[in-house]
Amino acid sequence: MKVSVLQFEPRLLDKAYNLMRITDLLSSLKTDLVVMPELCTSGYVFSTKEEVYSIAEVSGKGEAFLALSNIATKNNCSIVYGYPEVDGDKLYNSSMLIMPDGDYHNYRKTHLFNREKLFFSPGDTGFQVFTTPAGVKIGMMICFDWQFPEAARTLALSGAQIICHPTNLVLPWCQAAMKIRSLENRVFTITSNRIGTETNAGVTISFTGASQVLNTKGELLANLPVNKEGIATAEINPLEANDKTITERNDAFKDRRPELYRL
Ligand code: ACM
């Protein structure tokens, strides 16, 4: 199967522009799965909860969901994208997996980073694995979840073959850390980061691009530069993630000793 990572510079609080840019970038893409950045429909540097409410969507509803569902069906591919979710009076930093048959699944970011705690509630969905119509097992985690190895480990133990990882990265360590997450769990990972600098109400944050697709040994299959928009695609066999063999006497999962671990 073909998997792709999309990287661009969203405009803060401009959903129409962001959807137009995503649609443009996706227009000639032939792939089975594409992952986009965290909060890619809204931008990142919010200054009030009201701003977040103004652009948030209910899971499975709203302009961004409909536009991206249509593309998933038309292009016969699965799409993962990050968006601000509203549920009653709560806001979540969420990612949505839309399958080509219209089925969809939502993940709410578990580990909120820095100022996100001013606006969002910590996610309550846990780490679940979803199966595409083609039988591929997909898990999601969002950005700062990389810092907590339990996130990727839980997804891998639940059978994930591919971990889709929308990000808005500001720290420099994630791309290297994800090599370890791929390697220690023997899973493919797709980290989609945004680029550019955003300023709002005196707060300025720069994002670091370098989106990447890694194989089950932590090797780079495809990536993008630190400051350019685009899409990178790799051909993978997701079944490789079912093989946790390291040597004839070692298996990354069967050799675990959970009785001795403190988690
Ligand atoms: C982050 O979690 N957006 C750094």
Side-chain angles (χ1 to χ4, degrees):
M1 72 181 284
K2 281 193 167 70
V3 298
S4 303
V5 63
L6 180 153
Q7 170 173 299
F8 79 113
E9 179 169 2
R11 284 192 191 153
L12 183 64
L13 300 174
D14 192 345
K15 197 191 296 188
Y17 170 81
N18 295 330
L19 288 177
M20 188 191 72
R21 193 71 197 107
I22 290 168
T23 305
D24 256 16
L25 284 162
L26 289 180
S27 62
S28 57
L29 182 69
K30 297 258 177 301
T31 197
D32 299 297
L33 168 67
V34 57
V35 182
M36 303 185 209
E38 176 183 13
L39 294 173
C40 69
T41 61
S42 63
Y44 186 80
V45 185
F46 301 112
S47 67
T48 63
K49 278 196 178 187
E50 285 63 40
E51 284 179 351
V52 190
Y53 282 120
S54 77
I55 199 158
E57 296 192 350
V58 172
S59 168
K61 293 200 166 78
E63 197 185 340
F65 177 80
L66 288 175
L68 294 168
S69 297
N70 284 338
I71 294 176
T73 306
K74 193 161 87 56
N75 293 11
N76 192 29
C77 71
S78 296
I79 292 179
V80 172
Y81 68 97
Y83 74 106
E85 181 195 346
V86 59
D87 183 2
D89 60 355
K90 288 204 163 133
L91 294 163
Y92 296 97
N93 180 342
S94 296
S95 64
M96 176 64 70
L97 163 64
I98 307 178
M99 316 267 200
D101 62 1
D103 198 12
Y104 63 89
H105 301 282
N106 197 42
Y107 165 68
R108 294 172 170 167
K109 185 174 185 178
T110 305
H111 305 98
L112 296 174
F113 181 72
N114 202 346
R115 294 179 73 257
E116 291 168 25
K117 293 189 180 188
L118 303 176
F119 312 111
F120 296 108
S121 298
D124 54 3
T125 49
F127 297 97
Q128 300 175 58
V129 173
F130 308 106
T131 306
T132 71
V136 180
K137 296 191 175 347
I138 291 183
M140 292 183 278
M141 52 189 247
I142 299 178
C143 205
F144 192 49
D145 286 331
W146 71 263
Q147 173 72 55
F148 304 87
E150 295 88 347
R153 176 49 56 98
T154 302
L155 288 170
L157 286 174
S158 304
Q161 295 165 320
I162 305 173
I163 294 180
C164 298
H165 183 213
T167 67
N168 276 187
L169 290 164
V170 294
L171 299 175
W173 306 297
C174 172
Q175 286 86 347
M178 288 307 290
K179 291 184 187 231
I180 309 302
R181 299 291 164 271
S182 281
L183 174 64
E184 68 198 354
N185 292 299
R186 297 278 163 151
V187 292
F188 295 91
T189 61
I190 306 174
T191 296
S192 169
N193 192 12
R194 63 162 288 174
I195 59 166
T197 296
E198 228 170 64
T199 298
N200 190 8
V203 177
T204 296
I205 298 182
S206 291
F207 304 93
T208 56
S211 298
Q212 65 186 17
V213 179
L214 302 174
N215 70 12
T216 62
K217 299 189 173 63
E219 294 159 345
L220 196 59
L221 297 181
N223 66 340
L224 289 162
V226 294
N227 57 2
K228 280 209 180 71
E229 296 188 332
I231 298 180
T233 297
E235 181 79 38
I236 68 164
N237 178 359
L239 294 178
E240 283 173 19
N242 297 354
D243 179 8
K244 307 297 183 190
T245 308
I246 300 171
T247 72
E248 68 267 42
R249 293 183 190 80
N250 294 105
D251 180 287
F253 279 9
K254 290 193 193 119
D255 283 4
R256 293 175 66 247
R257 303 283 311 277
E259 71 280 12
L260 298 180
Y261 302 152
R262 185 166 161 210
L263 292 175

